Amino acid sequence: MSLSAMAGPEQNQQQVEEIDDQLDDAELALQGINMLLNNGFRESDELFKRYRNHSPLMSFGASFVSFLNAMMTFEEEKMQMACEDLRATEKLCESDNVGVNAGVIETIKNKIKRSMDSQRSGAVVVDRLQRQIIVADCQVYLAVLSFVKQELSAYIKGGWILRKAWKMYNKCYSDISLLQEACQRRASQEAPPLDQANDNAPPRGAATAEALGRLKGSVSFGYGLFHLCISMVPPHLLKIVNLLGFPGNRHQGLASLAYASESKDMKAPLATLALLWYHTVVLPFFALDGSDTQMGLMEAKGILQNKATVYPNSSLFMFFRGRVQRLECQINSALTSFNDALELATDQREIQHVCLYEIGWCSMIEMNFSDAYKSFERLKNESRWSQCYYAYLTGVCQGAAGDLEGAISVFKDVQKLFKRKNNQIEQFSLKRAERLRKMNPSKELCILASIEVLYLWKALTNCSTSKLQLMGQVLQGVNDMHCMGLKNLLLGAIHKCLGNTKDAIQCFQLSARDEMGRLNNSYVQPYACYELGCVLLSKPEAVGRGRALLLQAKEDFAGYDFENRLHVRIHSALASVREVVPQ
């Protein structure tokens, strides 16, 4: 009988002590991941380390926890340790698996020919496939650790590692599908006579349907993530991606992750988290309109409801509940969920940080700039990710709350904390902080800067009608000539959220024509063209004009802030036009 996934950290320690090393390794690995998701990070780490040499699957579990620890801290020592652990797991999988890159079906056929023990061939099939999937998983995580270095050579190296992993995923996925089909045929062709109805043993030499189902879940996690992530790559990078041989089918990715999430594999809970991440973080950020987002929210709510008894006190699931509530504009409920998740994640610093980030954003959405400032200031002081970005948000919210001297002091810190010259968020934060510092900012200009961030991160749609109207009133009072283009862009976005289409079009047109603002807000004109095009797409008589504006935004501007971000949105918008009006 499997251990309860409902246990909290207190019971997790007792579970580790009671586990029998004769337990099935697939069940043991799943229990370890469930411990991790129920806030038992240390207990999960201890379990996997204790049974690390029990099997390749438990070795991979230990390496995965090591990898997760490295990604949550970004500490060089832990990242190096994670690399060593992943390579050790790879080596273990390949040690008894010569020719791991050969086709599974062909290799197994040869092995079966050499073996007179046909009853064992099913176990050979499962073991060989499991090892190949683990090797591919290890390569993906090694590539991620390589990308974190943010060096050109690391990107190239990571890309080729991913290419190798994709080929293995693709081959394993095809082979497992073929084996499942063969298993189904045998089941239908070899139905037992009535007097043998209780004999449920599989045919000699065949992998069981249950084992193949778990393996399909195992490979579907990596296979689905590949499809989903590549489908979101900016169009101008697709040529490079295609050279590496990666596909990008969003529907295939979601279907594979859904299959993985319902399997009995150790990665089933991780597939569930990946689906929640997609529906509550990615889709709202890239979606053209609210229809896809609403469908995604329904999916996310269904997942959270189905898993409520399995993960009742998980800080991660509590976090995603807050994301759903925020997207449904239930900001007070979202703040409660994020604060609960923050309290549950006592030993998980990075989970605390993502909760603090959301608390800061929800506070900005409510125009509660004092609370927002406190959250972002803590992130600025504690986070190792982007102190420059958090410093900018701290200064903006501090100024919007009325502490202008404190804001100017923090804006000066942004320059000192600027480290990643190729990071567009840090570049934007530096330019905006310098400009505000030199302008001797007013409270209204700081509020404008906070609304700008809400717009760029597509959070204005989460604001209530009363807050949107209040934001509009503040913007109307801003008369700085250097901000006119940005002011009209933001007013247009607010009118669009409020359903005032005519006013939105007028504001977007003014913004698109503002040449003076282009010098200080290089993204304003292309974004205004994009927004105007999207509004016109909703009018049947203006679809052609809307499409032309989208193409203008794509082709007439270059080198502006968040260019990749806009290109992805334009790509999505044009794709929706092609679905309605085939070109």
Side-chain angles (χ1 to χ4, degrees):
M1 184 176 180
S2 64
L3 298 177
S4 170
M6 293 174 61
E10 304 81 19
Q11 292 100 344
N12 283 333
Q13 180 63 37
Q14 185 180 351
Q15 288 179 356
V16 172
E17 294 170 359
E18 293 175 352
I19 288 173
D20 187 338
D21 64 359
Q22 296 302 312
L23 275 176
D24 177 76
D25 63 347
E27 183 183 353
L28 196 60
L30 179 57
Q31 290 165 3
I33 295 297
N34 278 329
M35 280 182 187
L36 189 152
L37 264 60
N38 274 312
N39 312 318
F41 197 99
R42 284 201 303 265
E43 293 81 4
S44 174
D45 188 32
E46 181 183 336
L47 171 68
F48 281 119
K49 282 180 178 175
R50 177 180 295 186
Y51 293 94
R52 176 170 205 118
N53 299 320
H54 180 76
S55 70
L57 200 59
M58 292 305 291
S59 176
F60 171 69
S63 295
F64 174 77
V65 174
S66 178
F67 165 77
L68 197 61
N69 198 20
M71 294 306 295
M72 289 172 71
T73 62
F74 286 105
E75 293 174 13
E76 187 61 38
E77 184 180 335
K78 290 183 179 179
M79 291 176 71
Q80 184 58 39
M81 186 184 298
C83 286
E84 291 171 4
D85 287 342
L86 288 164
R87 291 192 184 105
T89 297
E90 244 188 311
K91 189 175 180 181
L92 175 65
C93 289
E94 293 177 333
S95 60
D96 297 322
N97 202 26
V98 179
V100 73
N101 288 317
V104 176
I105 301 294
E106 291 78 11
T107 307
I108 290 165
K109 283 180 180 176
N110 293 334
K111 191 146 188 153
I112 291 172
K113 286 177 184 176
R114 294 195 301 269
S115 174
M116 297 302 293
D117 187 6
S118 62
Q119 196 165 12
R120 246 192 118 247
S121 63
V124 171
V125 171
V126 172
D127 182 64
R128 182 64 61 98
L129 285 164
Q130 183 67 79
R131 287 170 183 258
Q132 283 197 266
I133 295 166
I134 290 172
V135 169
D137 286 337
C138 287
Q139 288 170 347
V140 169
Y141 301 143
L142 283 167
V144 171
L145 289 168
S146 183
F147 289 146
V148 168
K149 296 177 182 177
Q150 295 190 327
E151 299 168 356
L152 180 59
S153 60
Y155 283 126
I156 295 170
K157 180 183 177 183
W160 284 107
I161 294 174
L162 285 179
R163 184 174 185 269
K164 182 181 175 185
W166 165 249
K167 286 187 172 182
M168 294 178 71
Y169 280 136
N170 200 32
K171 183 63 177 169
C172 287
Y173 190 88
S174 299
D175 288 345
I176 293 168
S177 297
L178 288 172
L179 287 168
Q180 283 183 311
E181 290 172 12
C183 187
Q184 290 169 357
R185 283 197 300 271
R186 280 196 305 271
S188 61
Q189 292 169 4
E190 300 181 16
L194 290 176
D195 60 347
Q196 299 178 21
N198 292 326
D199 183 8
N200 294 320
R204 287 171 62 82
T208 65
E210 182 181 3
L212 289 173
R214 186 186 64 75
L215 283 176
K216 185 72 167 285
S218 180
V219 74
S220 290
F221 178 68
Y223 184 80
L225 268 185
F226 254 98
H227 272 290
L228 203 56
C229 292
I230 299 304
S231 72
M232 296 181 291
V233 168
H236 67 283
L237 295 179
L238 281 176
K239 289 182 180 178
I240 299 172
V241 171
N242 290 335
L243 281 175
L244 292 172
F246 301 149
N249 186 312
R250 181 169 66 95
H251 297 295
Q252 178 67 62
L254 290 171
S256 296
L257 285 172
Y259 184 98
S261 72
E262 296 300 324
S263 73
K264 294 184 178 180
D265 186 69
M266 67 176 284
K267 286 174 282 187
L270 305 178
T272 300
L273 289 179
L275 287 168
L276 287 171
W277 164 75
Y278 177 76
H279 290 309
T280 67
V281 178
V282 176
L283 193 57
F285 192 70
F286 289 114
L288 170 64
D289 54 38
S291 58
D292 282 347
T293 303
Q294 289 305 313
M295 288 176 62
L297 282 179
M298 289 176 64
E299 290 283 341
K301 288 171 78 172
I303 292 170
L304 289 168
Q305 187 174 352
N306 290 338
K307 302 295 181 181
T309 55
V310 184
Y311 307 107
N313 297 310
S314 167
S315 57
L316 282 168
F317 278 83
M318 190 68 72
F319 167 81
F320 283 116
R321 185 176 298 132
R323 282 290 306 177
V324 169
Q325 290 163 336
R326 176 186 147 181
L327 292 167
E328 290 184 327
C329 302
Q330 300 173 15
I331 304 302
N332 288 332
S333 297
L335 280 166
T336 299
S337 294
F338 291 133
N339 277 299
D340 287 346
L342 181 67
E343 190 174 336
L344 287 166
T346 50
D347 296 323
Q348 298 160 297
R349 187 179 66 186
E350 286 304 316
I351 295 178
Q352 285 189 326
H353 287 172
V354 295
C355 292
L356 280 169
Y357 184 69
E358 288 293 338
I359 290 168
W361 275 87
C362 285
S363 300
M364 271 207 299
I365 286 167
E366 285 290 283
M367 299 185 77
N368 182 349
F369 297 113
S370 295
D371 284 355
Y373 149 68
K374 291 172 187 174
S375 293
F376 293 132
E377 184 182 42
R378 184 173 161 188
L379 285 167
K380 175 177 78 76
N381 295 332
E382 294 180 12
S383 176
R384 301 187 185 210
W385 177 62
S386 178
Q387 292 175 304
C388 170
Y389 170 55
Y390 292 139
Y392 175 66
L393 292 178
T394 300
V396 164
C397 292
Q398 198 167 357
D403 182 2
L404 296 175
E405 287 187 13
I408 292 171
S409 176
V410 175
F411 289 144
K412 291 177 182 177
D413 291 339
V414 173
Q415 172 70 54
K416 302 171 190 173
L417 297 170
F418 178 65
K419 295 177 182 177
R420 299 185 290 175
K421 294 182 180 179
N422 295 323
N423 183 285
Q424 60 180 355
I425 294 176
E426 292 207 358
Q427 289 175 343
F428 169 81
S429 300
L430 177 65
K431 284 189 283 187
R432 281 292 184 271
E434 283 295 292
R435 183 162 157 255
L436 281 168
R437 185 177 63 82
K438 292 175 181 176
M439 289 173 70
N440 194 20
S442 63
K443 180 177 178 178
E444 289 71 26
L445 281 176
C446 288
I447 294 176
L448 178 145
S450 73
I451 298 170
E452 177 185 30
V453 173
L454 290 172
Y455 166 74
L456 287 169
W457 269 258
K458 295 201 80 169
L460 284 177
T461 53
N462 304 152
C463 300
S464 65
T465 298
S466 61
K467 297 302 179 187
L468 287 169
Q469 290 171 340
L470 182 56
M471 290 177 190
Q473 290 171 15
V474 174
L475 290 174
Q476 291 289 3
V478 174
N479 295 312
D480 190 302
M481 290 305 296
H482 297 289
C483 298
M484 286 300 103
L486 176 58
K487 168 186 169 179
N488 284 312
L489 175 65
L490 299 179
L491 280 171
I494 288 171
H495 283 305
K496 183 180 174 183
C497 290
L498 291 170
N500 305 329
T501 304
K502 185 177 178 181
D503 291 334
I505 290 174
Q506 184 178 1
C507 288
F508 289 141
Q509 287 174 336
L510 287 170
S511 181
R513 290 198 296 265
D514 184 72
E515 288 294 333
M516 182 183 293
R518 185 174 186 176
L519 299 173
N520 294 316
N521 306 287
S522 61
Y523 74 86
V524 168
Q525 285 190 312
Y527 270 72
C529 286
Y530 160 77
E531 292 287 1
L532 186 56
C534 288
V535 172
L536 294 178
L537 286 182
S538 64
K539 298 175 174 292
E541 72 278 8
V543 170
R545 175 64 181 147
R547 186 174 182 277
L549 281 164
L550 291 175
L551 291 172
Q552 181 184 344
K554 178 184 176 183
E555 296 167 3
D556 289 2
F557 304 92
Y560 53 88
D561 291 329
F562 303 115
E563 185 174 355
N564 287 348
R565 188 178 295 187
L566 185 62
H567 275 213
V568 171
R569 292 175 185 171
I570 292 170
H571 179 69
S572 174
L574 289 172
S576 74
V577 174
R578 285 192 289 270
E579 288 176 9
V580 177
V581 185
Q583 300 301 310

